[in-house]
Amino acid sequence: MMKHLYCLYLGLLLVLPLTPTAKAQDAQDRAVIEKISDKKLRKTIEKSLSEALINGRSIAILRVKDRKLKSAAADQIIYVQARLDGFLNASRRGETIETGDVPDRIQEIQTLDPVWPVHFYQKELQAYSNQPTAVAAEPQQPVAKTIEESKPAPEATPKKTAATQQPVGTVREQTTATKETPSLSTVSTDTPAKSSETFSLSDIPGWGWIVLGSVLFLWVQKRRHFKKCPQCGKWNAMRRSGSWHVVDTEASYVTKELKTRNRRGEVVRTEECTVPATIYTYRMHRLCKYRKCGCTGEDYIYKKVKREN
């Protein structure tokens, strides 16, 4: 039974690196990936895809690391990805998003490198544009215009007094002040945010998973062989019976490093000295777990511990 489980475990380790860690969201995304004829580029795109929740929707976002970019539009791609990272953080904080020149940069990428899947950038940008934003100060401008237009003609009505004109001036002053004061929730479009270089499991290549799985498998087999019964020969059969007991002691010494410090805590002198110590030998009794089947295997395991006196 154990052999079958380990064979299944090895099979999973070999298949796991071949499955993509980030899948496209819908058939349109998968169709875009399938159109890429370059196998290396397709593999890079699949590993660089992840999911993010934008405006209540799960969107596939593409973030290719700078060192993996092999495109004629590498500079534009780095810029767009950095700006999209800033938009993502701003949307999570509920701030207003201004796309700025990102759509133009996406068009430049499509012009310089027609093979690059700008579909994911456009889809993510569309998700941000559909996000509800806060009411800006610009809609207040038509209010002053409406008041100005609602004035009757000078020849039709008598001249207005100063008390009547005061509210209109107040509205204009408030509108001007609102225009001059920038909104705190507006995302700055001058400096792009730095692209995040976070480590993820998708960065581990396939051969790395195979090496890691092989090391883990060998370590487990070594532990099972350590518990092999000396009589029936079955692995992982010996079980501890009792506790560790001291069976031998031996005089020894340990080398220590002594540091002399001054009043300010600075080390002024360092010297080595030997301190008496004792080596304790411990023994543990083990019995085979298949004793019900007639096996009477038993043995002892030892370990040594050095302690300072």
Side-chain angles (χ1 to χ4, degrees):
M1 182 64 181
M2 293 297 296
K3 292 182 179 180
H4 294 292
L5 290 176
Y6 279 109
C7 292
L8 178 62
Y9 172 73
L10 281 179
L12 290 176
L13 287 177
L14 294 176
V15 175
L16 181 61
L18 303 179
T19 58
T21 56
K23 298 181 179 179
Q25 292 295 309
D26 49 23
Q28 186 179 6
D29 295 343
R30 290 192 293 270
V32 172
I33 297 177
E34 291 175 357
K35 289 181 180 179
I36 303 176
S37 59
D38 190 354
K39 294 183 179 180
K40 292 184 178 179
L41 178 59
R42 183 189 303 177
K43 187 175 181 180
T44 302
I45 296 301
E46 289 178 350
K47 288 186 177 181
S48 303
L49 282 175
S50 59
E51 297 179 3
L53 191 63
I54 303 174
N55 196 17
R57 297 170 52 196
S58 183
I59 304 296
I61 62 176
L62 177 63
R63 298 293 187 272
V64 182
K65 293 190 176 182
D66 300 351
R67 63 175 182 270
K68 295 184 180 180
L69 282 175
K70 296 181 179 179
S71 172
D75 296 337
Q76 287 76 9
I77 294 172
I78 294 173
Y79 179 84
V80 169
Q81 292 186 158
R83 292 298 304 277
L84 291 177
D85 285 338
F87 294 164
L88 180 59
N89 296 331
S91 66
R92 291 172 179 174
R93 296 191 297 265
E95 298 178 355
T96 305
I97 296 175
E98 295 181 0
T99 57
D101 60 342
V102 175
D104 298 336
R105 293 298 185 97
I106 295 178
Q107 292 296 331
E108 292 180 9
I109 295 174
Q110 194 169 13
T111 303
L112 296 175
D113 190 355
V115 183
W116 193 264
V118 296
H119 159 78
F120 296 99
Y121 301 146
Q122 295 173 346
K123 186 176 180 180
E124 182 180 355
L125 196 64
Q126 183 180 3
Y128 294 131
S129 61
N130 294 336
Q131 186 174 6
T133 58
V135 179
E138 293 299 331
Q140 293 183 2
Q141 184 176 358
V143 175
K145 185 177 180 181
T146 305
I147 297 175
E148 185 71 22
E149 292 177 353
S150 62
K151 284 184 178 183
E155 54 274 5
T157 57
K159 187 179 293 185
K160 294 185 178 181
T161 60
T164 308
Q165 296 177 358
Q166 184 64 27
V168 178
T170 305
V171 173
R172 290 179 179 176
E173 291 176 359
Q174 291 178 355
T175 306
T176 307
T178 308
K179 288 182 179 180
E180 294 176 356
T181 305
S183 176
L184 295 178
S185 61
T186 303
V187 179
S188 176
T189 59
D190 296 336
T191 57
K194 187 178 180 180
S195 179
S196 56
E197 294 288 341
T198 57
F199 176 78
S200 60
L201 294 179
S202 60
D203 297 334
I204 302 178
W207 59 266
W209 285 105
I210 296 176
V211 172
L212 182 61
S214 302
V215 172
L216 181 60
F217 177 76
L218 292 176
W219 180 81
V220 173
Q221 293 300 321
K222 180 181 178 181
R223 295 291 299 176
R224 295 180 70 248
H225 183 267
F226 177 72
K227 298 179 181 180
K228 178 180 178 181
C229 178
Q231 183 173 351
C232 64
K234 294 181 179 180
W235 288 22
N236 198 28
M238 304 304 292
R239 294 293 181 267
R240 296 180 179 181
S241 175
S243 58
W244 293 100
H245 298 282
V246 179
V247 295
D248 189 18
T249 58
E250 181 182 354
S252 181
Y253 66 91
V254 292
T255 303
K256 298 183 64 176
E257 188 179 65
L258 298 180
K259 297 181 180 180
T260 306
R261 301 177 182 270
N262 55 16
R263 294 182 179 179
R264 292 178 295 180
E266 299 175 351
V267 179
V268 296
R269 186 175 61 181
T270 303
E271 58 182 355
E272 293 184 354
C273 63
T274 57
V275 180
T278 304
I279 299 177
Y280 297 91
T281 302
Y282 292 87
R283 185 178 67 180
M284 168 70 71
H285 182 238
R286 300 192 305 180
L287 296 174
C288 181
K289 68 178 181 180
Y290 298 104
R291 298 182 67 85
K292 295 182 180 180
C293 300
C295 180
T296 59
E298 61 177 348
D299 64 355
Y300 293 94
I301 56 176
Y302 299 88
K303 69 175 182 180
K304 294 185 178 182
V305 179
K306 182 186 290 189
R307 294 177 182 175
E308 182 183 344
N309 292 344

